[in-house]
Amino acid sequence: MPAPNFTALLTDEGQQLLDELRHYDPSQELATATRLRREHPAELVSAALGQARLRQRAVAKFGTEDAYRMYFTPHGVEQATRATVAAYRARRFAAHGVRRVADLCCGIGGDAIALARAGVSVLAVDRDPLTCEVVRANAAALGLSELVEVRCADVTEVDTSGYDAVFVDPARRGGRGRIFDPEAYSPPLSWAVGAARKAPFAALKIAPGVPHEAVPEEAEAEWISDGGDVKEAVLWFGTEPGARRATLLPGGASLTGRGLPDPAVRPVGRYLYEPDGAVIRAHLVAEVAEELGGGLVDETIAYVTADELRATPYAAAYEITDVLPFNLKKLKAVVRERGIGVAVIKKRGSAVEPEELRKKLKLGGPNSCVIVLTRVAGAPAMLLGQPAGA
């Protein structure tokens, strides 16, 4: 979107169009555009329709109330931190006494907004002029302009010496999609680490798949999930050097590694525990297994099994009724005999695709179950059961 078209959205006419498009149906876009262009400039209508689509996409990250007051770019929606995660991180900054943060590679301002709402003054920096205009508009729309200063600049040239902390969110998408090599980030992870080392306190947002060997020794590495989905990893400087942490939102449970050895492999017990993805990414399955008094079903699989049911926020529990060698014919017979019409199919360490298996099972009946496709002591297996306590 050209900057003038975005600026036009901030006028009274632009605001009127956005209000009118709040509940518009994208499948009716041609008819809507044709109608609106009878009364408004075509460029403004196109810009408003584009913004309306982006706001609908942004609801998942920012919630309805904020998403329909904010402004977005396509890249900005894709890269923006989910509001719940940004708010959690902002609370960590504030808890360490941080009052001024340089937010480098700020994007459309998701983290800057969360920091400002936590009472932190923010310098939001991005090199794209349109993105900077969007950040200013978002700060104004949410009543945070006094706490958010926006600067259009190359982050590698910004002096951060006057700030309590630095937050860097390098771009991890390119023309061909996601970037997995940390040195291919923009700016590279090595530059971000260098910037963090110069600050009293810092956080670097990175992809959750980052190799553990790429984490600097002096950094705390935290993997964050929200609603069970792993969202990101963060490298913290100035906290606990070498620590590994898994944090689960929205509840906020946080597990720190204790350097435990890998759990022993044992026979499948009455209960199977599926650790949260953040726990697995942080390599903290051993800590969860110790908490549960359990072991692994296979040395290469992150399923924990135990004979007792223990409450934990770090894993979902299933009560296992059957442990069988994988055999499609046998599985079809079992689900038919038990009248299974609804099955949750999970897999880890299995080449079988759940949706393909579902088609072959031809489920039908009043009952439900959980089917886990995995390996048990190295052999393909199928575990049947129910959510614990169901």
Side-chain angles (χ1 to χ4, degrees):
M1 184 194 317
N5 289 0
F6 174 73
T7 303
L9 290 176
L10 306 180
T11 65
D12 290 343
E13 185 178 12
Q15 294 296 293
Q16 177 189 338
L17 267 175
L18 288 175
D19 287 343
E20 187 173 343
L21 289 170
R22 181 182 175 100
H23 302 294
Y24 103 105
D25 181 354
S27 68
Q28 301 298 314
E29 183 165 318
L30 180 58
T32 301
T34 301
R35 174 175 58 79
L36 293 176
R37 283 170 180 161
R38 297 186 188 118
E39 301 177 5
H40 304 280
E43 294 83 0
L44 179 59
V45 171
S46 295
L49 285 167
Q51 198 59 225
R53 289 194 299 272
L54 292 174
R55 284 179 166 182
Q56 290 181 353
R57 287 171 56 191
V59 167
K61 285 189 174 183
F62 291 90
T64 302
E65 183 176 352
D66 279 355
Y68 281 98
R69 291 191 290 167
M70 292 172 65
Y71 302 89
F72 303 95
T73 64
H75 182 73
V77 168
E78 212 55 53
Q79 288 277 77
T81 303
R82 182 177 290 262
T84 49
V85 178
Y88 162 74
R89 182 166 39 244
R91 290 194 297 272
R92 279 204 73 177
F93 272 112
H96 281 84
V98 171
R99 292 295 173 263
R100 300 186 73 218
V101 172
D103 179 1
L104 308 180
C105 309
C106 66
I108 55 92
D111 281 280
I113 288 165
L115 287 162
R117 283 176 165 168
V120 178
S121 178
V122 186
L123 170 66
V125 184
D126 200 279
R127 66 183 179 184
D128 178 61
L130 174 59
T131 299
C132 290
E133 289 300 317
V134 170
V135 180
R136 289 190 185 95
N138 285 336
L142 300 176
L144 300 169
S145 293
E146 291 186 3
L147 287 169
V148 180
E149 175 193 350
V150 182
R151 185 180 304 175
C152 191
D154 184 330
V155 296
T156 64
E157 299 174 358
V158 174
D159 180 9
T160 62
S161 58
Y163 293 85
D164 302 331
V166 167
F167 173 63
V168 189
D169 181 4
R172 296 179 303 283
R173 283 184 178 272
R176 297 182 179 179
R178 292 185 184 276
I179 297 171
F180 297 99
D181 178 6
E183 285 307 296
Y185 292 172
S186 180
L189 180 59
S190 57
W191 178 89
V193 169
R197 286 171 172 157
K198 297 175 186 176
F201 189 78
L204 312 180
K205 176 182 170 181
I206 58 176
V210 65
H212 279 231
E213 56 268 23
V215 176
E217 291 183 0
E218 73 270 37
E220 170 199 335
E222 179 180 33
W223 281 262
I224 302 173
S225 67
D226 188 20
D229 295 327
V230 183
K231 294 302 179 185
E232 63 183 60
V234 184
L235 302 184
W236 293 95
F237 292 77
T239 54
E240 302 176 57
R244 298 293 180 268
R245 183 188 303 273
T247 298
L248 283 54
L249 301 176
S254 196
L255 180 67
T256 303
R258 300 192 301 279
L260 299 180
D262 291 340
V265 175
R266 53 150 290 175
V268 178
R270 182 175 177 181
Y271 296 98
L272 183 77
Y273 293 87
E274 180 182 24
D276 184 271
V279 170
I280 296 172
R281 293 281 194 176
H283 295 181
L284 300 182
V285 173
E287 280 73 8
V288 172
E290 183 182 71
E291 176 184 309
L292 298 171
L296 299 179
V297 299
D298 183 274
E299 64 180 0
T300 64
I301 304 295
Y303 280 133
V304 175
T305 186
D307 297 317
E308 296 180 7
L309 179 62
R310 298 184 186 178
T312 176
Y314 304 114
Y318 303 95
E319 186 169 7
I320 301 302
T321 57
D322 301 84
V323 181
L324 303 167
F326 180 78
N327 181 289
L328 179 58
K329 184 177 180 181
K330 174 64 175 177
L331 182 58
K332 291 172 71 173
V334 170
V335 297
R336 183 173 62 251
E337 290 167 4
R338 298 181 186 177
I340 303 298
V342 177
V344 175
I345 303 175
K346 296 179 169 290
K347 73 167 223 170
R348 186 165 291 161
S350 171
V352 179
E353 291 300 326
E355 290 311 310
E356 288 300 316
L357 176 62
R358 188 184 304 279
K359 293 175 183 176
K360 294 176 181 178
L361 291 179
K362 300 179 180 178
L363 300 169
N367 301 317
S368 63
C369 76
V370 175
I371 301 171
V372 180
L373 308 175
T374 188
R375 290 196 302 272
V376 171
M382 49 190 191
L383 282 56
L384 279 68
Q386 296 287 344

